Amino acid sequence: MTVTTQRFTLEDYLRYDDGTDTIYELVNGELVSMALGTGQHGAVTKLLVGTFDRENNRLDREWTALQGVVAIQSPRGDRWDTVRIPDVTIIPKAQWRNLQNREAIIPLNEPPPLLVVEVTSESTKSIDYRAKRAEYCVLNIPEYWIVDPLQGKITIFTLSEGWYDEAVFTDSDRLISPTFPELNLTVNQILQGEI
């Protein structure tokens, strides 16, 4: 839901405080409040963060998985700024440390995340499948997951020659992730929020 018709620049967005705990994305210069997800949404994101971090540790990678705390500036071609906050973001630990003393936003001039995940809801499904897919692709994010409890599927988009190839997984399908090739998770396990 858009909450304002006033257009914000990136600098305005970073300074904005309405005195509430509401989290906003910035879409084409307009603040858009992020609704509180369902319990399933929270269970899925928590499971993925834990799973990705365990896998990063097992493989001795200097990466971290973060739940809804890192924003990414979008390269939309309009004159107004857009900033997205993925449900899960994987970045190098060094990049996360660099965000500790400033707003946790990855601007266009910094390396993109290694992987992002969005968990769809009725109000976000079109944005997740269309707008964010295009934006994350242009940002050169190597892998983008859409976890879709509404349709009981997970789509993994993999960057190839400047565009996303997609693989759709359902039910007891084991996910195939280029970023985490040894991951042993099924769609049902993720949608149930437990392994």
Side-chain angles (χ1 to χ4, degrees), residues 72 91-92 95 106-114 139-141:
I72 305 166
I91 59 176
Q95 188 174 21
I106 300 172
L108 294 175
N109 64 344
E110 292 183 8
L114 304 162
L139 282 168
N140 291 316
I141 297 173

Side-chain angles (χ1 to χ4, degrees), residues 147-172:
V147 178
D148 189 338
L150 305 170
Q151 295 186 31
K153 68 179 183 177
I154 296 175
T155 305
I156 296 180
F157 299 97
T158 306
L159 196 62
S160 176
E161 298 179 6
W163 190 244
Y164 280 136
D165 292 333
E166 74 177 64
V168 178
F169 303 90
T170 59
D171 304 318
S172 60

Side-chain angles (χ1 to χ4, degrees), residues 38-96:
T38 64
Q40 181 184 27
H41 183 281
V44 165
T45 56
K46 181 179 180 184
L47 176 133
L48 288 175
V49 165
T51 300
F52 290 146
D53 276 342
R54 280 190 300 279
E55 194 68 0
N56 287 331
N57 290 335
R58 186 182 74 78
L59 296 171
D60 201 27
R61 291 177 170 166
E62 288 296 311
W63 299 352
T64 187
L66 302 156
Q67 184 174 343
V69 297
V70 174
I72 305 166
Q73 185 180 9
S74 171
R76 291 173 74 111
D78 210 329
R79 60 176 250 203
W80 295 102
D81 291 308
T82 294
V83 175
R84 300 295 188 178
I85 304 172
D87 292 315
V88 178
T89 305
I90 297 177
I91 59 176
K93 288 180 179 178
Q95 188 174 21
W96 178 232

Side-chain angles (χ1 to χ4, degrees), residues 55 59 61 63 90 114-115 142-143 145 177-182:
E55 194 68 0
L59 296 171
R61 291 177 170 166
W63 299 352
I90 297 177
L114 304 162
L115 185 150
E143 193 169 328
W145 292 23
S177 164
T179 306
F180 294 98
E182 297 174 31

